[in-house]
Amino acid sequence: MRHFSFHTLLLAICCATAPVASYAESKVESQLSSGKALAFSQQKGNCLACHLIAGGESPGNIGPPLISMKLRYPDKQVLRLRIWNAAQFSPNTPMPPFGKHHILTESEIDDVVEFVWSL
Amino acid sequence: MKLILSVALALSFASSTGYASPEEDLAEYRQFFKKRFPNLSQQDYADGVYAINPIARENWEAIEEFPPYELAIEDGEELFNAPFKNGKTYASCFKNGGLKIAQNYPYWDKERQEVVTLALAINECRVSNKEQPLPYKKGDIAAILAFMKDSSRGEKIQRTLTKEQPGAIAAYESGKAFYFKRRGQLNFACAHCHMVYSGSNLRSETLSPTIGHATNWPTYRAKWGEMGTIHRRFQGCNKQVRAKPLKAQSVAYRNLEFFLTYLSNDLEMNAPSSRR
């Protein structure tokens, strides 16, 4: 549902004012590439340590592969909460609480969410 | 599903109030690993990750053709036999002249009410002979340990922990609590990596099971390019989750070693060893 409204929103902006649209698009694009770098970096997200992610080398298999995310997380906010503190969803998870423990900043998490949601 | 269930089980276990004796723990953990690694014999666990990752094992076997710890055993023998300034040697401090005794360490010392590891006993021997203690993580102490432990190769770890030894049980429980406690910014417990997810891959590293962790130290690690003690390894695993490592030979690490040694019951010693 959110997925849909996000696009309608983009569309609306896009039709209203062209410069804003390209700004929004390039923001998403830069978030995607920054999110990817954060997810792959051993010092930052290191999501690859546990998850198979398309394009990432020698992934671990402690967590499930990160695929079809939009389908499984139509609400991007739920995905964000999961990355912010996975223990809310599964108390015994080994997944580090990226937001709660300040492993990533809020804006870094936004970027990672954008990237993961694109998978 | 099964996996998630066992996660909850293994980790709630430590915090639940229902008390399990060390013997019951051992039986339960063996059962747990038996399910995860049905093809392993008990002794296979002494090979750590090489018991469960055939490719890593192949590399390891090639390395073991010319064991990188051999030099340490030779150095250790020389150090072990070199007299202190007062003319005595390490042999005077230990039963059986210090040979074939390493399998009995660490042990619970009833008089002192603490766990005594072999590394601690080596330094206490030095100090009682008016020598400076050695640093605990690498270097001479690792060499002396390598020599003493090599003489115990093939000897079995045998421990009993009964109600009649409340202090020993408390030390075991303290080691166990440490093992199951989440720590560090990344918030994992030792048990996450070496129990619940043992056999899974963390990036390209396969995670070895807890049972067997106490048989093979000191070890030559390719990553270190030298020998190191088990407490050095504990520090590395603490740092991995961005937790502050404790001091080598701190009470907590000695209790942890005691706990892991109990879980390696009935395994033959195979120290020193080599690891990636």
Side-chain angles (χ1 to χ4, degrees), chain A residues 69-112:
Chain A
M69 296 314 286
K70 282 201 185 81
L71 207 71
R72 296 192 297 124
Y73 289 85
D75 185 346
K76 210 199 287 185
Q77 202 51 35
V78 173
L79 180 63
R80 192 180 194 283
L81 285 173
R82 177 129 216 166
I83 295 171
W84 199 85
N85 180 20
Q88 295 171 84
F89 299 86
S90 40
N92 290 310
T93 190
M95 180 159 148
F98 290 98
K100 190 168 173 227
H101 277 200
H102 308 288
I103 300 164
L104 298 175
T105 66
E106 297 298 321
S107 85
E108 284 172 338
I109 290 179
D110 290 340
D111 294 358
V112 169

Side-chain angles (χ1 to χ4, degrees), chain A residues 40-44 46 48-50 57-62 91-94 96-97 101-103, chain B residues 3-4 7-9 11-12 182 184-188 192-193 197 199-204 207 242:
Chain A
F40 287 9
S41 145
Q42 303 221 16
Q43 281 70 42
K44 288 291 192 169
N46 204 8
L48 265 182
C50 298
E57 271 174 39
S58 42
N61 59 3
I62 290 175
N92 290 310
T93 190
H101 277 200
H102 308 288
I103 300 164
Chain B
L3 181 72
I4 305 288
V7 175
L9 205 78
L11 294 177
S12 65
R182 286 178 185 270
Q185 191 184 34
L186 302 190
N187 210 37
F188 318 17
H192 275 121
C193 288
Y197 291 101
S200 300
N201 292 342
L202 184 73
R203 285 246 183 188
S204 50
L207 295 164
R242 302 182 188 163

